[in-house]
Every structure is written in C-alpha cells, then in structure tokens.
Amino acid sequence: MGKLILPLFCLVLMNCSKHETDKQALNADLVEVVPQEKAISSSVSPPHSVSEKLLPDENTQQGIQSSKKQTDTISRKVIKNGEMRIQVGEIKKAQNQVNDIIKKNQAYIEKEQFQNTDMDDNLNLTIRVPHKHFDALINSFSDGIGSVLSKNISSDDVTEEYTDVSIKLANKKIYLEKYRDMLKSAATTKDILEIQENIRELEDEIDVAEGRLRFIDDRVNYSTLQLSLYKEKVRSSATSKIGFGSRFIDSLTEGWNSFVSFLLGLISLWPFFLLIPLLVFLWKKWKSRRKKA
C-alpha cells in the first residue's frame, strides 16, 4: 500500500504544477492582448477636429527626439560687449591709429559720431569685431593710443536660450510638414481652412524663431565695442586773461537779460490780465443778484 501512495502523490504534484504553469501563461497572453485591443480601439475612433488629428505619432516623436539630440551638440553661445573711453592728444592721429587696429583685427565701424564743443572734442565709434579678436582689440586700444579713462567689459551666456529656440524651431518644422501632408488629403472646406490657418501660424512662428537665432548668431560671432576718444581743449590766451571784474560784469549782464526776458514774457500775457478783472466783475454782479433774489 505504501508503495502505491508514493507514486500517486508525485503524479498529483506534477498535475498541480502544470496547471499553475498554464494559468500563468494564460495571464501573460491576456496582458499582451488587452493593450493591443485598447490601442486598436483608440486608433479606430474618429478625431473630432483637425488639431486632434495631429497627435504625435511614432514618426513624429522620433523626429522630435532626433531634433533634441541635434541641439544637444550646440556649442556654447557667449555674447561679449565692451565700452572704453580714452583721452588722447590729437583726435585725428588717434583715429588713424584706431583704423589701423580695426583693419588688423578684421573689424569694422558700424557707427561714427563726432562732437566738437568749447571744452572738448569727442569721437564716438561703434565697432563690430569677430569674437576671437575681441580681447586682442581691447588690448591694442589700451596700449599706445592714449590714457584709458574707463573700461567696461561684459559677457552674456545665451546658450540656454539658443538651445530652447532651436528645439522649438525643429519641432515646429516637423508639425508644419505634418499639416502640409494633411492638407493634401483634406476632404472638406472646413478642414482645409483650419489646416491653412494652422500652417500660416506655424510659418510666422518659424520666421520669428529663425530671426531670433540669426540675431543671436550675429551677436555671438561679432562682439560690439563702444569706443569714445576724448580730447580736452586748452584755453586760449584771450580766455585765460579774463579776470574777476570781467566775469562780474558778464554776470550782471546775464542777470539783466534774464530780467528783461521775464518782463517780456509777462507782457506777452496781457490778454489774460484783461480777462481776469472781467471774470471777477461778472462773478460779483451774479452774486449780488442772487442775494437780492
């Protein structure tokens, strides 16, 4: 009897383990089937608008991911700007030296402004220089031209902004192509008009993004330097001989001229002086009539 019970017990255990294995396999099959059925049902359901039709599919997502990978390789974008004020002995000589330094560093003058006053001469230049020559240009201006009165150099890292704009631009171009493909297969006038409006908005946004990237590239590739050449004028012998008495008389003259100007200004207001008494007279007359009434 004991010899029969042992084989029967082993057979029962084998059947139980086989049943559990089949049950796990069935559950695994159900897990695989259910998501597929959900995906099929969601893809069959018709979209309600053109915007819902343009949900990111697998190809679009791959394009977006590839655009992000491309922007990950963007080099660092740093905008350098500077301001310098230099006191020189002769404006013309210093300007010639500046022009030689500009040519040597492959730069150019974007704007030039000259101002001549009784006290000094000022030549203001806006210089654009390649990014790699910016430091050399600053050092050249600091040596040999004149006495540097002030210098201010700044650096602005715009890599994050450039990367963000580049990613959004690449994604907009991907969606623009999707809209153009949809326009070819649009069946109703409503869908055509809606797709064309979306295409127009995307094209405008793409133009703005591309313009921003071009502006950043220009500022990164060419740094900007505001250079001011300053020369203080020496007083002439006639001016240096002016003493306290002459200045006192000049001050009296200026005071008298100011008083005359003030008096003439009051005289020019004579119509208002005539109008004020008339208004006062009418007001008193109206007030007296009101008391009698």
Side-chain angles (χ1 to χ4, degrees), residues 163-216:
T163 304
D164 182 61
V165 176
S166 299
I167 292 174
K168 292 179 180 178
L169 175 61
N171 294 340
K172 290 179 188 298
K173 288 182 177 180
I174 293 173
Y175 280 103
L176 179 61
E177 293 302 322
K178 296 289 292 183
Y179 272 122
R180 287 173 176 171
D181 292 338
M182 290 175 59
L183 184 61
K184 297 177 182 179
S185 59
T188 64
T189 304
K190 180 181 179 181
D191 288 346
I192 292 175
L193 294 176
E194 186 175 352
I195 293 173
Q196 287 178 343
E197 179 63 21
N198 290 332
I199 289 176
R200 185 190 64 80
E201 292 179 356
L202 276 175
E203 288 177 342
D204 292 342
E205 293 174 359
I206 288 173
D207 290 339
V208 173
E210 289 178 342
R212 181 58 183 172
L213 292 181
R214 286 194 298 269
F215 176 80
I216 294 177

Side-chain angles (χ1 to χ4, degrees), residues 6-280:
L6 183 60
L8 289 174
F9 181 73
C10 292
L11 182 62
V12 170
L13 289 177
M14 291 174 63
N15 290 333
C16 291
S17 61
K18 182 178 181 181
H19 178 69
E20 291 294 333
T21 304
D22 295 339
K23 186 176 180 181
Q24 292 177 358
L26 179 61
N27 290 335
D29 293 339
L30 290 174
V31 171
E32 292 177 357
V33 171
V34 170
Q36 292 178 358
E37 292 179 349
K38 289 184 178 180
I40 293 173
S41 62
S42 62
S43 62
V44 172
S45 60
H48 298 287
S49 64
V50 175
S51 299
E52 294 179 359
K53 291 180 183 179
L54 198 58
L55 293 174
D57 55 10
E58 184 177 356
N59 295 329
T60 305
Q61 291 178 349
Q62 291 178 356
I64 293 174
Q65 292 297 330
S66 63
S67 65
K68 290 182 178 180
K69 290 180 180 178
Q70 292 176 359
T71 52
D72 289 340
T73 61
I74 292 177
S75 59
R76 184 166 296 279
K77 303 289 183 178
V78 179
I79 298 176
K80 279 191 174 183
N81 295 314
E83 296 179 0
M84 292 186 69
R85 182 171 173 83
I86 302 176
Q87 185 176 6
V88 299
E90 293 293 337
I91 291 290
K92 189 64 177 178
K93 180 181 178 181
Q95 187 176 9
N96 293 333
Q97 293 176 335
V98 167
N99 291 334
D100 293 339
I101 294 174
I102 287 175
K103 292 179 181 179
K104 181 179 179 181
N105 291 276
Q106 302 177 3
Y108 67 92
I109 297 176
E110 186 179 61
K111 183 179 179 181
E112 179 178 341
Q113 183 180 7
F114 179 75
Q115 186 178 9
N116 183 4
T117 65
D118 295 335
M119 302 297 295
D120 52 34
D121 291 336
N122 287 279
L123 178 62
N124 300 316
L125 302 174
T126 301
I127 302 173
R128 302 297 306 281
V129 57
H131 180 80
K132 60 182 180 180
H133 296 306
F134 180 77
D135 294 333
L137 186 76
I138 296 295
N139 295 332
S140 298
F141 287 153
S142 300
D143 301 331
I145 292 182
S147 177
V148 179
L149 301 180
S150 63
K151 181 170 67 173
N152 183 20
I153 308 298
S154 63
S155 298
D156 186 14
D157 192 338
V158 293
T159 308
E160 183 177 355
E161 179 188 359
Y162 193 92
T163 304
D164 182 61
V165 176
S166 299
I167 292 174
K168 292 179 180 178
L169 175 61
N171 294 340
K172 290 179 188 298
K173 288 182 177 180
I174 293 173
Y175 280 103
L176 179 61
E177 293 302 322
K178 296 289 292 183
Y179 272 122
R180 287 173 176 171
D181 292 338
M182 290 175 59
L183 184 61
K184 297 177 182 179
S185 59
T188 64
T189 304
K190 180 181 179 181
D191 288 346
I192 292 175
L193 294 176
E194 186 175 352
I195 293 173
Q196 287 178 343
E197 179 63 21
N198 290 332
I199 289 176
R200 185 190 64 80
E201 292 179 356
L202 276 175
E203 288 177 342
D204 292 342
E205 293 174 359
I206 288 173
D207 290 339
V208 173
E210 289 178 342
R212 181 58 183 172
L213 292 181
R214 286 194 298 269
F215 176 80
I216 294 177
D217 284 332
D218 176 70
R219 295 297 167 180
V220 170
N221 296 332
Y222 276 82
S223 302
T224 304
L225 174 65
Q226 302 290 343
L227 177 63
S228 178
L229 302 179
Y230 161 79
K231 177 194 174 184
E232 185 177 359
K233 289 184 177 180
V234 181
R235 288 186 177 183
S236 62
S237 58
T239 306
S240 60
K241 291 181 180 179
I242 297 176
F244 175 78
S246 299
R247 294 182 181 179
F248 179 77
I249 295 174
D250 291 340
S251 299
L252 291 178
T253 304
E254 290 179 2
W256 172 254
N257 292 333
S258 300
F259 174 75
V260 171
S261 299
F262 174 75
L263 185 61
L264 292 175
L266 291 178
I267 295 174
S268 65
L269 300 175
W270 66 267
F272 296 97
F273 294 142
L274 294 178
L275 184 62
I276 292 174
L278 180 61
L279 292 175
V280 172

